[in-house]
Amino acid sequence: MKNLMVTGGAGFIGANFVHHMLGKYDGYRVVVFDKLTYAGNLDNLLPVKDDPRYAFIQGDICDAEAVDAAIEAHDIDTIVNFAAETHVDRSILDPDAFVQTSVYGTYVLLEAAKKHGLERYHQISTDEVYGDIPEGYSSVESDALRPRSPYAASKASADLMVQAYHITYGLPITITRGSNNIGPYQYPEKVVPLFTTNAMDDKPLPLYGDGRQKREYQYVGDHCSAIDLVLHKGVIGDVYNIGTGVEVENIDMVKILLDTVDKPHDLIRHVTDRAGHDRRYSLNIGKILALGWEPDHTPEEAIAKSVAWYRDNEWWWRKVRNEDFESYYQVQYGKRLAS
Ligand code: NAD
Ligand code: DAU
């Protein structure tokens, strides 16, 4: 592995992964290939913009010619695919782009990896592919996939296609299924940056339903170090869960968040729930722990550290909470907050 193409590298986790890899290793070159949708943001890559080991290409993973050209121009040997539409609520409003990018786009990347004989294709997947998990159980990598939202179904489809390319064509793939990431550069449609930035402006925090849903909130840097480990030590063809093993109820996450920015708990508003809202995700992380990984943050530390980043980086999120964002906010929350 020498020349990595990080698709979706201008988004939240992709950008953190670029910083992780260029910060830790001298010998790799990283090409970010990103369409720059509403969620892509070159500000996320500002710290590496003048690094000679980094290059940026604006392109769509559904565009086979552009993908081929990027691989050839930069002598790419490894693809790490973060590119996706990623917000569950938007997938409920309009699933089209989710299917395009995760299903067709992943197929295009797999074809390119096969054609160019790449050393590795790594797919970034999610714990949401396992669906809603009953109390007392944690998902293992061999479990059947039971996605329940259009977003999760698009990710599960991609996941299965990646595995099919390994089985059918011997493509050297690995897959990681991460839990709910938080940290710097997350688009403020997601709950932690949305609630932090609302709280800073004394706006209400629209908590879905009773707020007792459980998520494994993990610090994005921990997720990136696990992906790095799988790229270096993972078994070809294998899948690895990456989570914390610790569930946090949304209502408890929100209380830590409000305490961190020193705002009152009465900013919380219980609003109409998300359609088909998965109540609980829980990952068995024995396999990634056995590979030698351990997270550096507890979920409480991850929440407080992420919230503090938004508190301290208004320059970043005030630009992102622009007119387009506010239009989306009205569609998603206008009626919910009015009733
Ligand atoms: P994000 O929405 O912040 O970023 C997605 C990036 O992909 C953006 O830069 C966007 O411009 C780019 N993109 C979208 N469609 C594209 C296309 N057709 N061609 C090229 N680029 C395109 O997403 P994120 O939260 O950083 O998630 C990254 C990956 O990790 C996704 O695959 C997601 O499913 C997965 N994941 C996310 C989480 C999480 O908690 N955020 C957890 C587990 C897995
Ligand atoms: O679990 C991994 C997944 O985590 C990733 O695959 C997704 O890409 C990522 O978006 C995230 O999905 P979630 O649906 O868990 O994240 P979100 O931040 O949208 O919501 C987290 C929890 O907070 C969820 O239970 C819904 C709740 N929530 C969310 C929003 C946006 C609210 O109560 N109110 C809100 O306004």
Side-chain angles (χ1 to χ4, degrees):
M1 182 168 73
K2 218 167 52 189
N3 298 329
L4 286 90
M5 183 153 98
V6 179
T7 51
F12 162 49
I13 310 176
N16 278 284
F17 178 73
V18 171
H19 298 312
H20 169 90
M21 293 302 278
L22 291 179
K24 181 166 167 191
Y25 301 103
D26 285 333
Y28 297 147
R29 287 171 55 225
V30 172
V31 176
V32 169
F33 184 96
D34 195 296
K35 187 177 176 181
L36 294 182
T37 67
Y38 76 94
N41 183 350
L42 289 178
D43 279 354
N44 302 352
L45 292 162
L46 273 180
V48 294
K49 103 176 160 14
D50 298 322
D51 191 319
R53 299 168 299 160
Y54 157 80
F56 177 79
I57 298 172
Q58 182 167 6
D60 186 337
I61 62 165
C62 298
D63 179 347
E65 275 181 30
V67 168
D68 271 353
I71 291 174
E72 281 163 19
H74 293 274
D75 197 17
I76 296 298
D77 52 47
T78 302
I79 292 177
V80 185
N81 180 29
F82 292 88
E85 290 293 331
T86 60
H87 192 35
V88 175
D89 291 328
R90 287 190 198 249
S91 84
I92 295 167
L93 292 171
D94 184 3
D96 193 86
F98 290 74
V99 179
Q100 287 297 329
T101 292
S102 275
V103 184
Y104 188 72
T106 299
Y107 153 74
V108 167
L109 293 177
L110 289 166
E111 273 297 305
K114 173 158 78 78
K115 176 173 158 187
H116 294 278
L118 298 196
E119 269 174 43
R120 179 76 69 89
Y121 176 91
H122 182 80
Q123 176 74 3
I124 306 298
S125 183
T126 167
D127 59 1
E128 300 207 9
V129 297
Y130 296 117
D132 198 21
I133 303 303
E135 290 294 337
Y137 185 73
S138 296
S139 306
V140 291
E141 288 84 350
S142 55
D143 282 352
L145 307 190
R146 295 195 176 83
R148 291 164 24 102
S149 70
Y151 162 71
S154 72
K155 292 297 292 183
S157 308
D159 212 320
L160 294 174
M161 190 63 85
V162 173
Q163 293 181 70
Y165 266 66
H166 174 64
I167 294 162
T168 310
Y169 305 112
L171 194 76
I173 65 99
T174 39
I175 298 175
T176 44
R177 295 187 182 137
S179 68
N180 198 307
N181 278 226
I182 53 176
Y185 306 125
Q186 187 170 31
Y187 190 82
E189 65 195 351
K190 309 287 167 39
V191 73
V192 167
L194 177 73
F195 282 15
T196 306
T197 55
N198 272 13
M200 287 180 67
D201 284 344
D202 301 306
K203 291 183 181 157
L205 314 188
L207 187 63
Y208 293 155
D210 63 3
R212 305 284 307 271
Q213 307 84 5
K214 291 177 176 166
R215 294 290 183 272
E216 286 186 40
Y217 289 101
Q218 78 171 315
Y219 197 68
V220 63
D222 289 335
H223 186 199
C224 292
S225 69
I227 297 165
D228 171 3
L229 182 67
V230 171
L231 283 172
H232 288 95
K233 296 219 174 109
V235 174
I236 297 295
D238 270 16
V239 180
Y240 295 86
N241 288 341
I242 306 175
T244 61
V246 183
E247 299 152 37
V248 178
E249 289 192 352
N250 285 335
I251 184 76
D252 295 326
M253 172 275 289
V254 178
K255 288 175 184 162
I256 298 171
L257 183 157
L258 285 168
D259 293 344
T260 306
V261 286
D262 206 13
K263 295 286 180 177
H265 290 195
D266 65 9
L267 282 177
I268 299 171
R269 294 280 186 288
H270 288 272
V271 298
T272 308
D273 208 347
R274 172 184 281 176
H277 198 168
D278 288 338
R279 193 87 185 149
R280 176 175 180 265
Y281 301 129
S282 176
L283 291 176
N284 178 319
I285 55 169
K287 193 168 168 183
I288 187 76
L289 292 176
L291 205 62
W293 174 79
E294 56 181 55
D296 280 342
H297 304 81
T298 65
E300 290 77 12
E301 286 166 350
I303 295 163
K305 188 167 167 179
S306 304
V307 170
W309 189 85
Y310 295 92
R311 184 195 60 207
D312 300 341
N313 287 279
E314 286 194 44
W315 72 272
W316 184 87
W317 64 262
R318 291 229 179 257
K319 277 204 251 177
V320 176
R321 283 194 70 141
N322 54 20
E323 254 177 49
D324 287 349
F325 178 86
E326 292 311 330
S327 311
Y328 162 76
Y329 190 85
Q330 268 315 311
V331 173
Q332 186 62 26
Y333 299 104
K335 276 197 194 135
R336 278 184 157 108
L337 284 166
S339 61

